Amino acid sequence: MCLGIPMQIVEINGYVANCEAKGIHRDVNLFMMQDEALAVDDFVVVHVGSAIQKITPQEAQTAWELYDQMLAAD
């Protein structure tokens, strides 16, 4: 099973964005979303180091709530 991780864009430099989730920062490749208008503070789903989908802040929050429940059940 593969999971996409919701992350918030902190900085964009060409096709690379510095993104943050739960205090962790990662450089994320934006090449697959080059036709999408992305900006600082947008949320994206990150899979294997690449942004694959833009999502709303509410969708990101819901995903993290589900992930937190899965981790708590372990």
Side-chain angles (χ1 to χ4, degrees):
M1 181 169 107
C2 299
L3 292 176
I5 304 299
M7 299 189 84
Q8 187 172 23
I9 297 174
V10 176
E11 180 181 2
I12 297 175
N13 186 9
Y15 288 119
V16 177
N18 183 270
C19 296
E20 186 272 333
K22 295 201 172 242
I24 305 296
H25 286 258
R26 294 283 184 262
D27 286 336
V28 173
N29 188 307
L30 301 176
F31 188 76
M32 293 190 335
M33 298 191 62
Q34 60 185 308
D35 295 328
E36 181 81 37
L38 295 173
V40 171
D41 293 328
D42 282 346
F43 285 85
V44 292
V45 175
V46 178
H47 176 66
V48 193
S50 293
I52 59 172
Q53 181 181 359
K54 185 176 175 179
I55 59 175
T56 67
Q58 295 80 13
E59 290 169 321
Q61 180 64 35
T62 299
W64 275 113
E65 288 170 1
L66 289 170
Y67 294 159
D68 288 342
Q69 288 175 11
M70 287 189 294
L71 290 171
D74 187 27

